[in-house]
């Protein structure tokens, strides 16, 4: 029986590759969006505007303090009631963006705050604008602190894409659920799912370790 | 060139600058001294608005620095600031440190900025260190690069906040030498320092501060030989016996 299921699994393997492709697409697009929004929020959060800081702080607390599956339900089922109706794929991206940017915001803000105040003073006393100070003096130094945990966060976010299966996005995890109905060999099916996830996250784990060592010097 | 009009500043309850009135004229070399916590660093940090003030006015080149509508970039272009801890940018070479503001604030071409930067490095005797990173330089060398960085903007005013206090004794001389030669070139200088040799040699005026107030001012000879107040006399005897 095992052998039979295995040959069935090999038969429908292209279906898994499609799921892997969808997972990669959700992960890749949402990582780009998260990074952009996360950096912008992080820069504002490390700044001086108290009202903006408070708003972002609240947003970050909510996004970090509630389960992702709840957030994705809110985006997919509650947002339409407020007038924002989205297909499953864009809804998944939006939910990922909300959750991921909150984590990245914190990484970026703490990286910026790790730079001594004297660097800001030195840059501002030479006449650089606030944005130039950040871009030319502060961020290049912060990157050392930011990049290793950022890549680690990417790994977590890639794995979190499995949650978007709950709203019907046909990514890797969903492919697993659908398959296991027809091939009731759970261990075999989800081992395959796991291996495929691992194939995209492991290179990033290696990269994260490498960067951590290099940046520590 | 620089004028303080009734300037007051508090850090919480601490009155760090108490009704300061002061005029510094073009080309003047002013040395500011006083016990720690007397407000002398704060005084010069207010000149380019590294610190806000709560009342009064500071005029630099006919521009009111603390006026919210003031073009701070323009004002700061004309004021070089040297920190006790140098604050060089650690991710840039000496040359890049010096070129940063000319290229990005004054919008000078890179080639021209590099030429200026090399000139200024030579000026402080460090032309062979152009490609060194701050971490590869001694404290004295870092401070000289910081001075070259300030000079590259061709400022009319240079402010020095205890420029030699963080240096090992054997490196103080090389930094002071650069400052002495600057003083003879007509740049307006305000120097917070306890280096009395420097004050006697180049200062046009010495200003003594305590508890946020200007206690007395005078020529170096007057101040050091015949202080008018007990507090100044006490301070001088302490730094001389030290």
């Amino acid at each position: 029986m095992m052998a039979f299921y295995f040959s069935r699994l090999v038969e429908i393997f292209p279906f898994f590759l499609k799921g892997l492709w969808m997972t990669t697409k959700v992960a890749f697009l949402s990582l780009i969006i998260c990074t952009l929004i996360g950096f912008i929020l992080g820069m504002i959060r490390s700044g001086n505007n108290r009202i903006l800081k408070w708003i972002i702080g609240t947003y970050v607390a909510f996004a970090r303090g509630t389960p992702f599956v709840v957030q994705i339900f809110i985006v997919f089922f509650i947002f339409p009631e407020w007038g924002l109706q989205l297909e499953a794929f864009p809804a998944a991206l939006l939910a990922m963006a909300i959750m991921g940017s909150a984590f990245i915001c914190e990484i970026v803000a703490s990286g910026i705050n790790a730079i001594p105040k004297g660097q800001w003073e030195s840059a501002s006393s030479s006449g650089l604008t606030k944005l130039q100070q950040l871009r030319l003096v502060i961020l290049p130094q912060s990157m050392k602190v930011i990049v290793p945990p950022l890549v680690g966060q990417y790994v977590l976010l890639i794995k979190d894409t499995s949650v978007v299966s709950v709203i019907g996005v046909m990514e890797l995890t969903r492919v697993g659920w659908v398959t296991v109905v027809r091939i009731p060999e759970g261990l075999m099916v989800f081992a395959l799912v796991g291996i495929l996830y691992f194939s995209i996250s492991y290179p990033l784990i290696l990269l994260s370790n490498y960067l951590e060592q290099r940046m520590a010097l | 060139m620089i004028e303080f009009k009734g300037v007051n500043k508090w850090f919480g309850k601490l009155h760090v600058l108490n009704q300061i009135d002061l005029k510094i004229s073009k080309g003047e070399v002013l040395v500011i001294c006083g016990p720690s916590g007397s407000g002398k660093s704060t005084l010069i940090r207010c000149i380019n608005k590294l610190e806000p003030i709560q009342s009064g006015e500071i005029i630099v080149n006919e521009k009111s620095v603390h006026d919210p509508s003031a073009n701070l970039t323009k004002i700061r272009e004309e004021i070089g600031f040297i920190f006790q801890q140098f604050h060089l940018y650690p991710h840039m070479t000496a040359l890049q440190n010096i070129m940063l503001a000319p290229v990005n604030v004054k919008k000078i071409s890179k080639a021209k900025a590099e030429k200026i930067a090399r000139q200024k490095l030579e000026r402080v005797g460090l032309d062979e260190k152009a490609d060194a990173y701050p971490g590869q330089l001694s404290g004295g060398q870092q401070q000289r690069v910081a001075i070259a960085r300030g000079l590259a903007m061709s400022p009319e005013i240079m402010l020095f906040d205890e420029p030699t206090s963080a240096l090992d004794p054997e490196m103080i001389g090389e930094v002071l030498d650069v400052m002495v030669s600057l003083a003879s070139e007509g740049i307006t200088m305000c120097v917070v320092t306890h280096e009395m040799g420097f004050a006697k040699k180049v200062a046009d005026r010495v200003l003594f501060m305590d508890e946020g107030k200007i206690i007395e001012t005078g020529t170096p000879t007057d101040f050091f030989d015949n202080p008018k107040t007990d507090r100044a006399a006490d301070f001088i005897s302490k730094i001389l016996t030290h």
Side-chain angles (χ1 to χ4, degrees):
Chain A
M1 212 54 184
M2 271 280 272
F4 170 70
Y5 285 140
F6 186 75
S7 67
R8 286 278 288 140
L9 200 58
V10 171
E11 236 170 75
I12 59 165
F13 188 65
F15 185 40
F16 278 80
L17 285 183
K18 265 192 176 166
L20 179 66
W21 172 236
M22 179 54 96
T23 290
T24 312
K25 225 161 58 173
V26 173
F28 185 72
L29 289 175
S30 63
L31 288 189
I32 291 175
I33 300 169
C34 291
T35 307
L36 283 175
I37 301 175
F39 265 82
I40 293 169
L41 293 183
M43 288 184 230
I44 301 172
R45 187 155 161 79
S46 68
N48 295 325
N49 189 317
R50 280 198 192 167
I51 300 167
L52 284 178
K53 275 171 94 160
W54 182 83
I55 294 172
I56 296 174
T58 311
Y59 163 77
V60 167
F62 168 79
R64 301 205 330 170
T66 55
F68 182 45
V69 68
V70 172
Q71 294 168 14
I72 202 163
F73 278 151
I74 290 175
V75 170
F76 195 58
F77 297 115
I78 311 292
F79 277 17
E81 288 178 27
W82 299 338
L84 183 68
Q85 184 107 35
L86 291 173
E87 300 280 316
F89 182 70
L93 283 188
L94 179 60
M96 285 291 293
I98 291 173
M99 186 261 306
S101 62
F103 282 94
I104 292 175
C105 163
E106 290 298 86
I107 293 173
V108 171
S110 63
I112 291 173
N113 291 334
I115 304 304
K117 204 173 128 234
Q119 291 290 314
W120 288 98
E121 290 189 342
S122 179
S124 72
S125 71
S126 71
L128 295 171
T129 63
K130 203 88 190 156
L131 216 59
Q132 285 176 322
Q133 295 166 32
L134 197 58
R135 183 168 60 86
L136 299 167
V137 175
I138 305 300
L139 273 182
Q141 297 181 59
S142 306
M143 286 321 261
K144 267 192 170 188
V145 189
I146 291 173
V147 168
L150 183 66
V151 178
Q153 189 64 48
Y154 285 170
V155 176
L156 294 178
L157 288 174
I158 288 173
K159 292 187 294 177
D160 282 337
T161 59
S162 64
V163 179
V164 308
S165 60
V166 298
I167 56 167
V169 177
M170 199 48 91
E171 45 65 78
L172 210 42
T173 303
R174 179 116 189 125
V175 167
W177 284 117
V178 171
T179 306
V180 88
V181 176
R182 285 186 280 168
I183 305 174
E185 196 60 55
L187 180 61
M188 199 155 76
V189 170
F190 279 98
L192 180 58
V193 167
I195 288 167
L196 291 175
Y197 272 112
F198 191 71
S199 72
I200 46 175
S201 58
Y202 189 60
L204 273 178
I205 292 173
L206 290 180
L207 179 66
S208 169
N209 291 344
Y210 168 74
L211 288 173
E212 207 149 319
Q213 275 171 9
R214 236 199 64 179
M215 301 280 186
L217 296 178
Chain B
M1 169 138 277
I2 305 172
E3 188 174 0
F4 283 67
K5 289 181 186 167
V7 172
N8 282 289
K9 177 177 177 61
W10 286 266
F11 282 131
K13 277 189 179 161
L14 186 68
H15 203 166
V16 268
L17 293 181
N18 190 340
Q19 202 61 29
I20 300 286
D21 290 295
L22 173 67
K23 262 190 186 171
I24 305 164
S25 42
K26 195 170 165 62
E28 183 173 358
V29 177
L30 176 73
V31 163
I32 304 166
C33 60
S36 66
S38 58
K40 51 198 194 308
S41 287
T42 311
L43 183 88
I44 67 164
R45 285 167 62 87
C46 289
I47 297 176
N48 70 348
K49 209 181 175 184
L50 280 178
E51 299 280 352
I53 58 176
Q54 272 84 46
S55 74
E57 200 179 8
I58 299 174
I59 316 269
V60 175
N61 272 337
E62 282 137 40
K63 280 165 257 171
S64 178
V65 180
H66 292 260
D67 184 330
S69 68
N71 183 346
L72 209 52
T73 300
K74 204 83 204 143
I75 293 169
R76 282 171 170 170
E77 256 181 60
E78 292 159 10
I79 307 175
F81 199 102
I82 304 301
F83 298 86
Q84 184 179 350
Q85 302 287 349
F86 338 126
H87 297 329
L88 292 178
Y89 312 129
H91 60 300
M92 296 181 192
T93 63
L95 200 68
Q96 291 167 336
N97 262 278
I98 302 171
M99 287 168 60
L100 187 75
V103 169
N104 291 284
V105 179
K106 284 201 161 172
K107 311 290 180 196
I108 291 174
S109 75
K110 278 212 166 129
K112 208 170 155 202
E114 183 177 335
K115 210 176 135 209
I116 296 172
R118 290 195 186 277
Q119 251 170 12
K120 300 304 173 193
L121 270 178
E122 201 183 327
R123 175 84 181 63
V124 299
L126 288 172
D127 31 340
E128 81 284 8
K129 295 290 185 190
D131 298 319
Y133 284 88
Q136 301 165 321
L137 300 172
S138 73
Q141 290 171 333
Q142 288 189 53
Q143 193 60 298
R144 281 147 68 199
V145 171
I147 293 174
R149 181 173 67 172
L151 291 176
M153 294 292 279
S154 2
E156 298 181 41
I157 301 165
M158 284 285 269
L159 307 173
F160 295 82
D161 186 5
E162 306 207 27
T164 57
S165 303
L167 298 176
D168 291 336
E170 74 269 23
M171 291 169 186
I172 292 175
E174 62 190 69
V175 172
L176 288 179
D177 286 345
V178 172
M179 291 169 61
V180 168
S181 77
L182 274 184
S184 61
E185 280 175 20
I187 289 185
T188 309
M189 289 168 68
C190 298
V191 186
V192 173
T193 185
H194 290 158
E195 292 296 331
M196 293 309 140
F198 173 80
K200 281 184 175 166
K201 209 168 182 178
V202 298
D204 296 309
R205 193 156 52 124
V206 177
L207 187 150
F208 176 71
M209 286 185 76
D210 197 13
E211 292 173 350
K213 286 186 206 142
I214 297 175
I215 305 294
E216 75 175 84
T217 65
T219 63
T221 346
D222 277 353
F223 177 73
F224 289 115
D225 299 342
N226 303 302
K228 282 170 271 180
T229 57
D230 289 348
R231 264 192 280 183
D234 184 47
F235 176 75
I236 292 166
S237 75
K238 269 183 194 146
I239 55 170
L240 288 184
T241 54
H242 156 76

